[in-house]
């Protein structure tokens, strides 16, 4: 095996590894987006609930 063949083999291996990494990053990005949407929904719900329970209570004497 010549040096050029060794280099090409190494480059192909690195390319495959980079493709795997990119695939994993895409999945993480999608998961982060789903999580962000869920958190935003919970925050909106919490704000609605906090507004709903803010009503004046009668003063007790």
């Amino acid at each position: 095996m010549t040096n050029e063949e060794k280099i090409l083999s190494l480059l192909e291996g690195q390319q495959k590894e980079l493709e795997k990494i990119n695939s994993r990053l895409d999945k993480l990005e999608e998961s982060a987006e789903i999580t962000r949407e869920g958190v935003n929904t919970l925050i909106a719900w919490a704000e609605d609930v906090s507004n709903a329970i803010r009503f004046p209570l009668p003063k007790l004497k």
Side-chain angles (χ1 to χ4, degrees):
M1 183 177 264
T2 66
N3 284 339
E4 289 178 4
E5 291 173 335
K6 289 178 184 177
I7 291 172
L8 286 176
S9 177
L10 286 172
L11 290 175
E12 288 174 2
Q14 287 179 341
Q15 184 66 31
K16 288 179 185 177
E17 287 300 314
L18 286 174
E19 288 172 2
K20 289 179 190 176
I21 291 169
N22 282 335
S23 173
R24 291 175 64 195
L25 285 174
D26 289 341
K27 290 176 186 175
L28 283 173
E29 197 172 74
E30 183 179 340
S31 295
E33 184 176 327
I34 292 168
T35 301
R36 187 179 318 113
E37 288 178 17
V39 168
N40 288 340
T41 301
L42 286 172
I43 289 171
W45 175 82
E47 288 174 353
D48 290 344
V49 169
S50 69
N51 290 333
I53 62 172
R54 287 187 191 152
F55 57 90
L57 295 173
K59 292 186 179 183
L60 299 174
K61 294 184 182 182

